[in-house]
Amino acid sequence: MMRFLPIAALAMVVPTVATAAPQRIVSLNLCADELLLRLAQPGQVASVTWLARDERQSTVANLAGGIPANGGAVEEILAARPDLVIAGTYTTRTTVRLLRLAGLEVLELPPPTTLEESREAIRTVAARIGAQERGEALLLDLNEKFAGAASVQAPIRTAVIGAYGFPTGPGSLLDDLIGRAGFTNIVRVQDENREFSLEDALLLRPQALIIDAEPGGGPALASEIVHHPALRKLAADIAIVSLPSRLWTCPGPQLGTAVDVLRRAAEGIHRRQRGY
């Protein structure tokens, strides 16, 4: 069982913060994992979260092998002797607070809600770890994937169904992406005093439902909605588009993959509407 170190002792085991490119970076957040593993030089990453190795959630599982994984505990972070920690603004808050009290540099990344915020996260991490060239290459790749993403046809009315079967409104990265791929999110106003259910979404008469699931994958909470009685009655009129959340949660080239999946789905819906 791990023993917790007193705050006064923490400063004795961490290095002095430097402004040069860090050489032992630790990540405490999956999105930080993905950016770090794509941008950092070999040997520059001291530890990533255990989520980075999970192919169901991570887009860099192939890059995470062989790199020590952490569970976000302050003791294991300190044991890695990092000169930079990258964290999310809503994750491992106690660990982040203790690391800062110990004098360690922590770079926090807010969850992106737009494509531009995703680009900014790439720029921020690349600049701090001394990987500006790799960052620019990643941005160029992302921009090329989004070139011409906007649909010239009428937007398809859609509702986005998250992992627990409830629709998602505006203000998310996925909401930005679907607009670029030819969809429009019809779930705009939600009553803060109650959950906005699938039935509520269906009353808005969507042409499509985007669900957090693997295309052709196994059972999942989101994909189970296709068996909902209310939806079965409307199955002929509503297209189901499966899009796993690992493609649209974090900044990176996978966003281009997500918008490509959505664009092709939109084209298929328009073809069916035209009768061929």
Side-chain angles (χ1 to χ4, degrees), residues 23 33 35 39 43 48 86 90 98 104 110 135 160 180 190 199 215 219 229 261:
Q23 298 304 307
D33 293 338
L35 288 179
L39 294 171
V48 292
I86 305 180
Y90 299 112
L98 292 175
L104 197 64
V160 179
R180 297 171 184 273
Q190 298 186 20
E199 290 85 349
V261 170

Side-chain angles (χ1 to χ4, degrees), residues 68-176:
N70 71 74
V74 65
E75 294 88 355
E76 58 186 332
I77 306 308
L78 293 173
R81 299 193 65 82
D83 48 7
L84 176 66
V85 175
I86 305 180
T89 54
Y90 299 112
T91 53
T92 56
R93 303 317 302 159
T94 298
T95 296
V96 167
R97 180 174 61 85
L98 292 175
L99 293 176
R100 281 194 166 134
L101 285 173
L104 197 64
E105 180 185 2
V106 180
L107 172 63
E108 291 190 73
L109 299 175
T113 60
T114 64
L115 179 59
E116 184 49 45
E117 289 180 5
S118 299
R119 293 188 180 108
E120 186 58 33
I122 294 172
R123 295 187 191 102
T124 297
V125 173
R128 182 60 195 92
I129 70 173
Q132 289 89 338
E133 289 188 7
R134 289 191 177 194
E136 289 304 314
L138 193 60
L139 287 169
L140 179 61
D141 178 46
L142 186 60
N143 291 339
E144 288 177 348
K145 288 179 177 178
F146 273 86
S151 173
V152 297
Q153 304 183 70
I156 297 166
R157 292 167 49 81
T158 188
V160 179
I161 307 298
Y164 296 96
F166 294 104
T168 299
S172 67
L173 180 54
L174 180 56
D175 189 65
D176 186 12

